[in-house]
Every structure is written in C-alpha cells, then in structure tokens.
C-alpha cells in the first residue's frame, strides 16, 4: 500500500505548498487500523499511510491485539512507507495508541501474551468487585478519581496474576501500545501521565504520581514506568530501532499518549471549555476542565498538557455498529446507505436503536447491556435501520452531555473529529443534542496530533501553538427538536425497561 499524498498534492495542507525542510512523523495504533502522517513544522501534510487490522476475540468478553504483528510490525511498515516519500529528514517522532491496555512483559520488555484491550475487554469483572471491596470504593475514588470498571488497568493486572500464573511469574513490566513503541524506539521504559491516570487504582489523580502501596497490593513486584507528560521527550531512536524502521539514529521521540487524547491535540481541543467528540469505531467525548471533576458515571483523568484535567466518556460501540450493519447488508457502500437514510424524517419513522452491541462503558458501566432495535414494521427498510443506528449513537452522545451537565456548564466549543465525522452523522448529532459542532479541515485523527507532539520533541512546535483550521460549523435545525426529544425519551427509558430481560437472555439454558 503506497503512502498517499495529501489532497491537492504532497505538502498541500494548511498554509500552502511544502518544501524539503524537516518533517514530523506521527503514528497512531487504533482499534481497527494503524495510521501515520508526515507533516512539516506548521502542519502541512506531506503524506499519510494506513494499515487496517482487527481485534481478536478468543473468548466472550475478551478483546485482544497481537503486540508484534498489530503494533510493532504495522508501525514499522507505516514508517517505512512514509519515509519513502519524505521530502526532507524526519526531525521528531510521536506515537499514540488505544488505551488503557495491559500488555505484560519481562524486565527486558518482551511481551508475554496478547495485549488485553481497554474497556471493551470485560474479563476482569470479578477482580473489579474484589478490589473495590478490599480497597474500599471511597478510598479508590478519593485517590484515583474513578470507580473501578472494565476500563481500569488494576483489575486486569489482578486477572493475569490469578488466571495466568505462568505469565505473571515472568511479568516485570507492563505496556500499552504507545509506550511499547517508545520502548522499542528508544529503550526507555516510560508512560505518560494521562495514560497512567487511567491505570486505576494505581495513580493519584491530584498528586499526579504512582501510588506504590496500592501497586504493590494489586501487582506485587511490578516495575512501574517513569512518568512523563505527552509533551516531553522520552528518548532518541537507537541504532537497532533505526535499522528496523529506517528512522535516523538519534531522532527525538516523545512519551506518547492514548489515541483519543492525541486526537484532541490534533484539533486544538486543549483549553478549558473545549469538548472533543470523536467519531470512530467507538464514540468518545473528552471535556477539558481546570481541576479534577470526578463523576461516578464518567472518567476523570489528567489531560495532555501539564496541569490540565479532563472529564471523559466513551461508548463501547458506535462506528462498529455502523460497520456491522453495512456488512450485514452485503457490504453496502456508505454512500448508498446515506442516500437512502438522508431523506427520511427525524426519528426514522418510529425506529429506535440501543447501540449497546458490546455492552456499554460510560455512563452505564454495564458490560452485559445489549443492542436493541425497537419499533420495526414491514414498512421499514435498510435506510431506516442505518438512520436509526446513527440516531442511536447520537442519543447516547446526548446522554453523555446530560451527564456532564450535572457537574459542568455547557461546553464552549464542541469539535468533531475522526474518520466517522461525515456530514449526515454530524448533522444528526447536532440536531439530537442541540449543540453546534466545529469541523476541522483535517480529521485525520490522532496521528496528526502525534505529529504536532513530535514537533515539541524536535523543538519545531510549541505549547500554545495551534494547527487547527475549521472549515464548517454544523448547527442544529430547530425543526427537528420536537421529534428528537420524543425519540430521546424513548431511548432513555428503553435500557432500564429491558435490562432484566436482556440479562435473562444471556443466562445459559437449563
């Protein structure tokens, strides 16, 4: 797969034509693909490259990635593809990835099993309950800012310790996608503060440091990585890494971070009052706040920039349900589905979808939740289902915004990002939520934010600088408000009304 120049020719991003000066390289390992981008120091895009991949689901509730083939091999392939078309030397590198994940490894950094992914992997349910009872829910929230859920790393560590004792016997370090790549590139064992703040209950949110006594109780003998901010340089490319990737020896590499927060950097959503809404395999929201703002139904974390904090939420599915429907209908192109759904009225002629096809993370924290399609008649077609799926994710976004509103005033800016930020979907979300969305010129995603962070390591960008150029503002249509308010109320009542029935369906027969 050849690297793709940016639209309009290589080097034609914001600001005009590129040149042969220094380049910045950003690579992101996402749930369903690895993406890389090559830019100049003012954000002009030289080229992009992508490698699609899938998660592994070896058992119900398990979601994994192979760290060698999915993380490292694809990273190397994307880097070499981009270097082949680079108009100048690479001056800095930054990586991001899905998280929080758990990859147990030896003291030398050798992976010991497949990586256990973020909150979509629900294997550690018993460990969540055990740690909450043992450590105390109030104590956990007071220190880490969050209750323990499937998103937390601590219960996953305990799961490995209990269920895979041979793996645990050799485990000395743990990695996520971003810091494994940093380790391979530089030899440094580090983790950024933001990623660490999702390692509940091991990180103190207010003091912004590890909690050694809790780490020892949950995972005795585990070496905790050195903490850095995503804006800081972790190390430089070693000769071995240079040989593997083609990157110049000594190229500075940042500490990296989790993909959604790198994506917030890509669109400048780093100021208090900003809310980033990421359209992807899963839907993600991150609101920048001035101080820790814990909420029992959301995630409270530190931000990308030193001294910043976030209140965040994430759905277990969104684009994944869209893709499921597309494949179910014979691989229908998105353009065809959109053409069929767009003329339909708000509310899809009485159809409501619960998008909980893989359980739900925030604000339900229910890994046993399931999807539902309610209101079907013989008059509904493929376009109705597609529109209802998009509307179902929009209702879930509104649920998140309503939950955030219990603690915070409305966001000052809501910025749409991600590959799924297409016209129909963003318009439905604005109509359902009643909130306008800014759409940036480049919705490449986390890798573009990584390139900006790479510039910090190289001294070619600075904190406070912003590459973002907005090309559209999606404003809600008042004429749709009444229909969507009615359907939203049905959506909110549908989950509690069917929860017990869904759980009965999930019980084994006999």
């Amino acid at each position: 797969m050849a690297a793709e120049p940016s639209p309009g020719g290589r080097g034609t991003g914001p600001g005009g034509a590129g040149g042969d000066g220094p380049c910045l390289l950003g690579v992101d390992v996402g749930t369903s693909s690895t993406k890389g981008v090559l830019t100049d120091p003012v954000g002009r895009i030289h080229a992009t490259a992508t490698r699609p991949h899938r998660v592994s689901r070896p058992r119900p509730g398990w979601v994994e990635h192979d760290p060698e083939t999915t993380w490292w091999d694809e990273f190397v392939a994307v880097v070499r593809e981009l270097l082949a078309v680079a108009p100048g030397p690479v001056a800095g590198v930054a990586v991001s990835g899905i998280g929080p994940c758990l990859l147990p490894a030896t003291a030398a950094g050798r992976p010991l099993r497949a990586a256990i992914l973020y909150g979509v992997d629900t294997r550690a349910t018993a460990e969540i309950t055990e740690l909450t009872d043992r450590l105390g829910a109030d104590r956990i929230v007071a220190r880490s800012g969050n209750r323990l859920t499937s998103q937390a790393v601590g219960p996953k560590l305990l799961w490995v310790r209990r269920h895979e004792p041979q793996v645990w016997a050799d485990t000395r370090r743990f990695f996520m996608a971003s810091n494994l790549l940093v380790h391979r590139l530089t030899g440094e064992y580090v983790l950024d503060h933001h990623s660490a703040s999702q390692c509940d209950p091991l990180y103190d949110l207010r003091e912004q440091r590890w909690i050694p006594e809790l780490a020892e109780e949950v995972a005795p003998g585990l070496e905790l990585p050195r903490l850095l901010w995503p804006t800081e340089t972790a190390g430089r490319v070693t000769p071995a890494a240079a040989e593997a990737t083609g990157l110049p020896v000594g190229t500075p590499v940042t500490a990296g971070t989790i993909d959604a927060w790198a994506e917030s950097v890509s669109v400048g959503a780093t100021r208090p009052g900003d809310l980033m809404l990421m359209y992807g395999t899963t839907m993600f929201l991150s609101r920048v706040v001035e101080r820790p703002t814990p909420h029992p139904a959301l995630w409270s974390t530190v931000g990308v920039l030193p001294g910043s904090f976030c209140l965040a939420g994430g759905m277990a599915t969104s684009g994944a349900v869209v893709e499921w429907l597309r494949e179910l209908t014979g691989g229908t192109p998105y353009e065809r589905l959109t053409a069929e759904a767009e003329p339909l009225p708000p509310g899809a002629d009485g159809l409501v979808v619960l998008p909980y096809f893989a359980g739900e993370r925030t604000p339900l924290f229910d890994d046993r939740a399931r999807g539902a399609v309610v209101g079907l008649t013989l008059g509904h077609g493929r376009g109705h289902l597609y529109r209802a799926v998009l509307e179902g994710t929009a209702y879930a976004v509104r649920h998140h915004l309503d939950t955030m509103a219990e603690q915070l005033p409305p966001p000052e800016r809501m910025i749409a990002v991600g590959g799924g930020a297409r016209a129909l979907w963003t318009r439905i979300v604005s109509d359902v939520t009643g909130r306008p969305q800014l759409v940036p010129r480049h919705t490449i995603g986390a890798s573009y934010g990584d390139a900006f962070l790479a510039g910090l390591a190289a001294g070619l960008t600075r904190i406070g600088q912003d590459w973002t150029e907005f090309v559209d503002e999606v404003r809600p249509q008042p004429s749709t408000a009444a229909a969507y308010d009615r359907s939203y109320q049905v959506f909110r009542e549908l989950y509690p009304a069917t929860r017990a029935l869904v759980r009965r369906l999930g019980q084994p027969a006999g």
Side-chain angles (χ1 to χ4, degrees):
M1 182 184 300
E4 296 182 4
S6 61
R10 187 186 307 165
T12 59
D20 58 358
C23 297
L24 302 174
L25 178 65
V27 179
D28 173 66
V29 179
T31 303
S32 54
S33 67
T34 297
K35 298 179 180 179
V37 64
L38 199 66
T39 77
D40 73 3
V42 294
R44 291 180 293 226
I45 299 170
H46 294 306
T48 62
T50 303
R51 290 291 186 281
H53 54 241
R54 293 181 177 271
V55 298
S56 171
R57 301 180 184 271
R59 296 185 185 179
W62 293 25
V63 189
E64 301 180 343
H65 268 171
D66 183 287
E68 298 296 344
T69 60
T70 303
W71 293 358
W72 177 244
D73 289 352
E74 288 189 7
F75 172 81
V76 170
V78 164
V79 169
R80 286 194 168 276
E81 185 174 322
L82 292 172
L83 291 179
V85 297
V90 172
V93 178
V95 296
S96 61
I98 49 173
C101 301
L102 171 61
L103 174 64
T106 66
R110 177 176 61 83
L112 292 168
R113 70 175 323 281
I116 300 172
L117 299 197
Y118 51 100
V120 295
D121 185 291
T122 57
R123 74 185 69 194
T125 302
E127 286 74 21
I128 290 169
T129 301
E130 178 183 340
L131 285 176
T132 300
D133 291 344
R134 191 200 314 168
L135 302 178
D138 292 343
R139 179 188 179 197
I140 293 169
V141 172
R143 297 297 296 274
S144 69
N146 297 296
R147 56 190 277 197
L148 294 184
T149 68
S150 63
Q151 189 80 350
V153 168
K156 298 178 195 291
L157 283 164
L158 183 58
W159 185 93
V160 174
R161 181 181 163 195
R162 291 282 170 79
H163 296 274
E164 297 182 347
Q166 294 304 314
V167 171
W168 185 254
D170 294 329
T171 298
R172 295 295 179 271
R173 294 180 170 184
F174 78 99
F175 291 96
M176 300 185 194
S178 60
N179 71 325
L180 177 71
L181 297 177
V182 170
H183 178 70
R184 292 279 175 93
L185 289 172
T186 68
E188 297 292 332
Y189 179 47
V190 301
L191 186 66
D192 69 286
H193 278 276
H194 169 72
S195 299
S197 72
Q198 296 206 47
C199 291
D200 306 321
L202 311 183
Y203 181 89
D204 191 302
L205 183 67
R206 289 173 174 79
E207 296 185 12
Q208 298 179 349
R209 65 174 180 84
W210 293 118
I211 309 173
E213 64 272 21
L214 289 184
E216 185 63 21
E217 187 165 350
V218 174
L222 187 70
E223 178 187 352
L224 298 174
R226 177 167 59 98
L227 293 173
L228 295 173
W229 289 97
T231 56
E232 293 185 282
T233 301
R236 294 180 178 270
V237 173
T238 65
E243 182 178 357
T245 64
L247 290 166
V249 174
T251 304
V253 180
T254 67
T257 192
I258 290 175
D259 54 359
W261 275 264
E263 191 142 12
S264 70
V265 172
S266 78
V267 293
T270 56
R271 296 173 295 184
D274 287 345
L275 186 144
M276 179 196 70
L277 178 57
M278 186 176 76
Y279 294 77
T281 305
T282 64
M283 189 79 83
F284 186 85
L285 305 89
S286 177
R287 171 76 182 270
V288 184
V289 294
E290 293 181 339
R291 61 187 63 85
T293 313
H295 189 292
L298 299 167
W299 301 314
S300 189
T301 74
V302 300
V304 174
L305 304 183
S308 66
F309 297 89
C310 293
L311 188 63
M315 297 161 57
T317 63
S318 59
V321 182
V322 174
E323 180 62 16
W324 167 83
L325 178 61
R326 194 184 72 84
E327 292 183 357
L328 192 68
T329 57
T332 310
Y334 286 115
E335 295 78 10
R336 179 71 178 274
L337 291 170
T338 299
E340 293 176 2
E342 198 160 17
L344 297 173
D349 284 328
L351 211 54
V352 173
V353 169
L354 288 184
Y356 309 144
F357 283 46
E360 186 56 301
R361 296 189 286 169
T362 58
L364 302 182
F365 291 122
D366 184 0
D367 61 286
R368 296 168 65 187
R370 292 295 179 265
V373 183
V374 177
L376 276 171
T377 71
L378 294 175
H380 288 118
R382 182 173 59 187
H384 289 91
L385 282 169
Y386 183 64
R387 186 177 185 102
V389 165
L390 298 183
E391 290 176 343
T393 63
Y395 301 143
V397 170
R398 181 169 170 178
H399 190 184
H400 278 85
L401 294 178
D402 288 351
T403 305
M404 288 184 176
E406 296 170 9
Q407 302 274 61
L408 300 167
E412 295 174 18
R413 300 194 303 170
M414 191 158 83
I415 302 171
V417 301
R422 293 181 287 269
L424 178 59
W425 203 354
T426 55
R427 188 166 73 247
I428 286 173
V429 168
S430 279
D431 287 347
V432 167
T433 63
R435 302 295 308 175
Q437 295 174 83
L438 293 170
V439 181
R441 176 179 298 278
H442 296 293
T443 56
I444 296 170
S447 59
Y448 192 57
D450 293 329
F452 180 87
L453 295 174
L456 295 175
L460 297 174
T461 60
R462 66 184 186 280
I463 294 176
Q465 185 179 349
D466 192 347
W467 285 354
T468 311
E469 180 184 0
F470 296 110
V471 295
D472 192 16
E473 183 178 23
V474 183
R475 303 194 65 81
Q477 303 172 90
S479 61
T480 67
Y484 278 137
D485 285 347
R486 184 168 57 251
S487 292
Y488 177 62
Q489 290 306 314
V490 172
F491 173 87
R492 288 294 303 272
E493 294 174 23
L494 191 54
Y495 165 72
T498 59
R499 179 172 50 199
L501 295 173
V502 166
R503 294 192 174 187
R504 279 168 56 190
L505 287 174
Q507 293 174 349

